[in-house]
Amino acid sequence: KSQRGLESEIDFINWKPIYESIQNLRQQLALTMHHDAITGTSKPHVMKDYLNRIDTARKSVIELMSSLFESSIALSTAANGDLQYMKPIEADQLPNSIGETVIIPVLLYNNLAWSRKEFVNITLPQDFMSNYKLSIDSIEENEHIVDTPFEMIQDRVWWYSNMLPLGYRTYFFIITKIEPQRLKISPKNLKETVSLSNKYISANFKLIDGIYQLQSIENKRKGLIHPIKQSIQYYTSYGDGAYIFRPTNASEPIEIQDPEVIVVKDSGNIQRIVQRVQPHITVTWTVYSSSSDPALGNFLEHEVSAITPDNKEMISRFDSPSMNDQGQFFTDSHNFNIVKRMRGKKFNDKHNFTIISGNYYPMSSTAYIHSETEQNQLTLLSRQAHGVSSQSKGSLEIMLNRNTLTDDMRGLNDNVNCTWNINSVFRIMFSSIEESNSLRPQISYRLNYPIVHFLNSHRPSSVLEYMKIYSILGTSLGGTGLPLNIHMELLPLSDDGFNTVLMRLYHIYTIDQSLFYSDDVNIMVNSIFDNHEMTSMKKKSLTLLSTLSEYSERIQELMITANPRSIHTFTFTLKELQDVSWWNWISFLAGLCFVPIAICSLFCCAVGIKVIFTQKRHIPNWMANFEMKKRQSIEDSDERMYL
């Protein structure tokens, strides 16, 4: 069929059940925001019901999203693949006979309205490298096929991707079956010290009791090196329950049992240590190489996967005793404001366990300690909400999990016997106060809105054949996307084909937080979406209950000035411009960007599925549509943080 014929099929999609599925997932998420759901202070069968509700609604939305995404990129009726959301490559997808080759298209989607360059990874079957040969091809804007470098670590393949704002890019995994190879396994002659380093930082480890333990972090650009140690520790419960945290005494480091260093890779673009400190506790450290982007290279990634023993409450603790923190630490409030916390007794506490619990606070994504005299800062960014505390000078600890077998007699009449394997991911940054606060929001948003992937079940005979059937690259936004200090959320508001949209523009910096990013930002509203214009636009209150302004005319000339920490909320409809062959689609799922990280990547990943990219192999001319002081120097210069 012709391109216009395919568009006609899209025009007759019944949007009502799709919208109802999205609404159902929103409602189930809202239910789990109840204070007895999100905290776990409910009976086990109630918690199970909460999880089942989310899982059922999530699966429905994933199925719809994958189907719509596949339809939106199809250029021909020969498109017969299914998109599989965040699935590993399985053994049954690989070639069977020696010399046989298969091509697996992998689509990446950027959930943010920023251009971003990051490392991504996909899990491969076990023993892949000993039985198969792999190459990865991609298509550049000039339609040239280029070979993409990659690195293998354990069963994952990593590569560097340049992603368009709210856009997607296709990579082609070309896999050939080979004669079984006997891979050389280097003997584990572990070095006494190991450093994971890039242009910006060096994380230094020492082999102690059979595992590598963090000793210090060096900020190369600032010339700072600071002793920082990390340990997994336990609090022992004293009648703790769902509501009361009441440890018997201070936390104690876990006993290292049957330690095993699984991976030590201290060279290349992905440097990584994976080690088991107990049979059920695995700790991973990663540093990513970046030659030009401090927001990718200026942190150490810390991942803990653990099962908590009975009547224990597990923490990950960082200690830097030489840091003079003036008895204070900082946490974020709903990822918006930063709140100063003072370490010490609360309400005339006399008992040790109440002093400990009295210094615990919630963090949505950020906590840090700093020394005003030395002007340095230790920042911790998380992928999900945690409890956090600073129990002594220069310390910062994060509650990973609580597993208590007692009831605290506060109404639940049950324990908190959580024996699941809990996986937590953090990014640790050590730098000057100025640089830490300038980079912190960007690193946090990238962690909480990860690039997601889809596997296309269509198996082309060549990359060129695939390009005739599917669009391989595109974005929903005009220009180069939004500035790095503006976050955008989109929500469909009706079942009319999602032409009625809510849009929030959120300035993620505060006044004086950053030399460059705390400026006001001017945005030409009608230039946000490529080849579409906004009509019937209204500025609304945050809750949508009040209309603050209406823009019935001259919307194309409307400019928004976003001040630091401001949130602008609009509703509007989108009108397709004349003589444009792009489908009239606007974001169908990504409006739920604000949901918890456990599923937020799912809701964001189709933000472009409605104003989407189907001119055959056509790459639009990316033009700047936004005015921002010093933006060119900020985004293009390798020295943007040091001008």
Side-chain angles (χ1 to χ4, degrees):
K1 294 184 178 180
S2 67
Q3 180 67 41
R4 179 56 61 183
L6 288 171
E7 291 176 24
S8 298
E9 288 186 359
I10 298 301
D11 291 338
F12 286 100
I13 286 179
N14 183 2
W15 295 101
K16 187 172 182 178
I18 298 173
Y19 183 75
E20 289 174 349
S21 293
I22 297 172
Q23 285 293 86
N24 179 43
L25 182 51
R26 287 178 180 166
Q27 290 164 1
Q28 302 307 329
L29 283 171
L31 182 65
T32 60
M33 294 299 104
H34 185 269
H35 63 260
D36 282 326
I38 196 169
T39 58
T41 53
S42 299
K43 295 279 190 179
H45 69 275
V46 177
M47 294 304 300
K48 184 177 180 180
D49 181 62
Y50 283 135
L51 294 173
N52 287 340
R53 285 171 175 270
I54 289 181
D55 190 54
T56 301
R58 177 178 176 270
K59 288 178 179 177
S60 173
V61 172
I62 285 177
E63 182 179 347
L64 288 166
M65 174 183 64
S66 301
S67 176
L68 283 173
F69 196 11
E70 197 273 341
S71 297
S72 71
I73 62 175
L75 302 177
S76 163
T77 54
N80 57 2
D82 293 321
L83 297 188
Q84 300 170 328
Y85 172 74
M86 296 298 287
K87 296 290 187 181
I89 293 178
E90 304 285 1
D92 59 5
Q93 298 172 306
L94 303 179
N96 296 316
S97 55
I98 303 298
E100 182 184 355
T101 297
V102 298
I103 299 176
I104 300 179
V106 178
L107 288 77
L108 301 185
Y109 193 89
N110 175 15
N111 301 305
L112 293 173
W114 313 332
S115 297
R116 60 200 287 197
K117 299 178 181 179
E118 291 184 27
F119 288 98
V120 293
N121 72 86
I122 287 183
T123 301
L124 298 174
Q126 198 171 20
D127 299 325
F128 177 89
M129 294 306 293
S130 60
N131 293 282
Y132 299 93
K133 178 183 176 182
L134 172 67
S135 63
I136 302 177
D137 284 352
S138 63
I139 311 298
E140 297 301 314
E141 280 83 349
N142 57 14
E143 300 187 6
H144 290 164
I145 299 175
V146 297
D147 185 56
T148 302
F150 64 89
E151 297 183 23
M152 288 289 303
I153 305 178
Q154 291 179 283
D155 59 348
R156 296 186 187 181
V157 56
W158 300 73
W159 73 99
Y160 190 64
S161 180
N162 181 6
M163 297 300 298
L164 302 170
L166 289 183
Y168 73 98
R169 182 182 292 271
T170 308
Y171 290 85
F172 300 92
F173 279 45
I174 303 174
I175 302 172
T176 303
K177 176 81 169 178
I178 60 175
E179 294 285 352
Q181 305 290 313
R182 187 171 182 177
L183 300 180
K184 294 182 179 180
I185 302 177
S186 302
K188 286 190 176 180
N189 296 323
L190 301 177
K191 297 183 288 186
E192 183 177 352
T193 60
V194 168
S195 294
L196 307 183
S197 62
N198 58 23
K199 175 181 177 180
Y200 299 97
I201 68 165
S202 177
N204 305 307
F205 298 82
K206 185 176 181 179
L207 190 64
I208 301 174
D209 296 331
I211 64 169
Y212 284 107
Q213 299 187 21
L214 180 66
Q215 301 296 300
S216 65
I217 297 178
E218 177 185 1
N219 186 303
K220 296 181 178 180
R221 301 296 294 269
K222 291 297 183 180
L224 302 173
I225 185 167
H226 211 76
I228 299 172
K229 297 188 177 182
Q230 181 274 339
S231 58
I232 304 295
Q233 301 190 11
Y234 291 139
Y235 286 106
T236 300
S237 164
Y238 177 69
D240 291 14
Y243 291 93
I244 294 181
F245 171 46
R246 182 173 46 195
T248 58
N249 215 320
S251 62
E252 298 179 352
I254 64 171
E255 179 183 353
I256 297 176
Q257 300 174 359
D258 302 323
E260 180 185 6
V261 178
I262 302 170
V263 172
V264 178
K265 184 176 181 295
D266 56 358
S267 61
N269 290 322
I270 310 293
Q271 300 186 21
R272 194 170 172 90
I273 295 174
V274 182
Q275 52 195 1
R276 191 175 295 114
V277 298
Q278 280 190 3
H280 300 295
I281 302 176
T282 301
V283 176
T284 302
W285 301 95
T286 308
V287 166
Y288 302 96
S289 176
S290 174
S291 60
S292 61
D293 190 353
L296 177 60
N298 212 345
F299 61 83
L300 169 66
E301 191 165 275
H302 172 52
E303 182 177 352
V304 181
S305 180
I307 296 176
T308 307
D310 291 342
N311 284 323
K312 299 292 184 181
E313 291 154 304
M314 183 185 292
I315 65 170
S316 180
R317 175 167 171 145
F318 292 83
D319 285 288
S320 181
S322 61
M323 180 175 288
N324 182 18
D325 59 17
Q326 294 87 41
Q328 60 190 19
F329 64 106
F330 301 81
T331 66
D332 68 329
S333 176
H334 49 270
N335 201 29
F336 192 80
N337 295 318
I338 296 294
V339 182
K340 181 168 71 173
R341 314 291 190 178
M342 299 304 298
R343 186 171 57 246
K345 295 181 180 180
K346 307 293 191 302
F347 311 110
N348 297 316
D349 288 336
K350 297 179 180 179
H351 301 289
N352 188 55
F353 55 77
T354 54
I355 294 173
I356 292 172
S357 59
N359 283 288
Y360 255 89
Y361 296 91
M363 60 173 281
S364 297
S365 63
T366 304
Y368 60 84
I369 54 176
H370 67 213
S371 170
E372 294 180 356
T373 55
E374 299 175 356
Q375 286 294 297
N376 54 29
Q377 180 168 304
L378 176 64
T379 305
L380 184 144
L381 304 169
S382 69
R383 194 179 61 179
Q384 61 242 49
H386 290 268
V388 65
S389 181
S390 177
Q391 295 288 337
S392 60
K393 175 186 173 184
S395 74
L396 198 60
E397 65 183 54
I398 312 94
M399 183 66 70
L400 300 176
N401 189 34
R402 304 176 63 225
N403 180 16
T404 70
L405 301 182
T406 53
D407 177 30
D408 56 16
M409 308 302 292
R410 292 300 186 273
L412 182 60
N413 297 322
D414 212 331
N415 57 31
V416 187
N417 185 206
C418 181
T419 57
W420 301 337
N421 185 76
I422 303 297
N423 182 268
S424 301
V425 178
F426 308 95
R427 289 182 174 177
I428 315 301
M429 181 168 51
F430 174 72
S431 187
S432 66
I433 294 177
E434 178 186 349
E435 183 181 52
S436 297
N437 289 334
S438 188
L439 290 176
R440 169 169 51 82
Q442 295 178 39
I443 296 176
S444 177
Y445 271 83
R446 293 183 189 211
L447 175 61
N448 283 278
Y449 293 88
I451 295 172
V452 298
H453 74 260
F454 296 80
L455 300 182
N456 193 334
S457 64
H458 182 88
R459 294 291 176 261
S461 60
S462 69
V463 173
L464 293 178
E465 178 198 328
Y466 184 91
M467 293 173 64
K468 297 177 181 178
I469 300 174
Y470 289 101
S471 173
I472 49 89
L473 177 70
T475 178
S476 325
L477 299 187
T480 55
L482 295 178
L484 294 173
N485 48 7
I486 301 295
H487 178 60
M488 181 168 70
E489 295 177 354
L490 298 169
L491 296 91
L493 293 181
S494 68
D495 58 5
D496 61 357
F498 303 161
N499 291 319
T500 306
V501 179
L502 178 145
M503 176 179 69
R504 285 198 177 104
L505 298 176
Y506 168 31
H507 198 306
I508 63 176
Y509 283 80
T510 59
I511 297 174
D512 298 328
Q513 179 179 345
S514 169
L515 177 63
F516 297 111
Y517 299 113
S518 291
D519 286 344
D520 296 348
V521 182
N522 296 324
I523 303 173
M524 297 297 296
V525 173
N526 209 35
S527 300
I528 292 178
F529 296 106
D530 206 20
N531 294 313
H532 288 71
E533 65 176 359
M534 300 177 181
T535 60
S536 305
M537 189 170 188
K538 299 178 182 179
K539 185 172 184 179
K540 308 286 283 188
S541 63
L542 190 64
T543 59
L544 302 185
L545 296 179
S546 301
T547 298
L548 306 180
S549 303
E550 292 191 34
Y551 309 99
S552 57
E553 298 179 358
R554 306 179 67 85
I555 296 178
Q556 65 273 16
E557 300 178 9
L558 176 63
M559 178 181 290
I560 298 173
T561 298
N563 311 112
R565 267 302 184 260
S566 63
I567 301 177
H568 298 264
T569 304
F570 299 90
T571 60
F572 56 85
T573 57
L574 280 181
K575 179 182 178 182
E576 187 177 11
L577 298 180
Q578 295 293 326
D579 301 323
V580 175
S581 64
W582 289 33
W583 296 347
N584 179 28
W585 290 42
I586 180 58
S587 153
F588 122 74
L589 288 176
L592 299 173
C593 296
F594 54 85
V595 299
I597 182 58
I599 47 181
C600 78
S601 61
L602 162 66
F603 304 132
C604 302
C605 69
V607 133
I609 293 187
K610 208 170 174 276
V611 183
I612 211 166
F613 9 93
T614 53
Q615 280 181 305
K616 185 176 180 181
R617 298 172 60 190
H618 173 71
I619 308 302
N621 179 27
W622 315 118
M623 299 185 302
N625 296 311
F626 309 103
E627 297 179 6
M628 180 178 180
K629 287 185 288 184
K630 310 183 202 71
R631 176 176 177 189
Q632 196 65 37
S633 62
I634 294 171
E635 294 191 351
D636 293 346
S637 173
D638 180 25
E639 306 297 322
R640 66 182 182 189
M641 296 306 305
Y642 305 94
L643 292 178

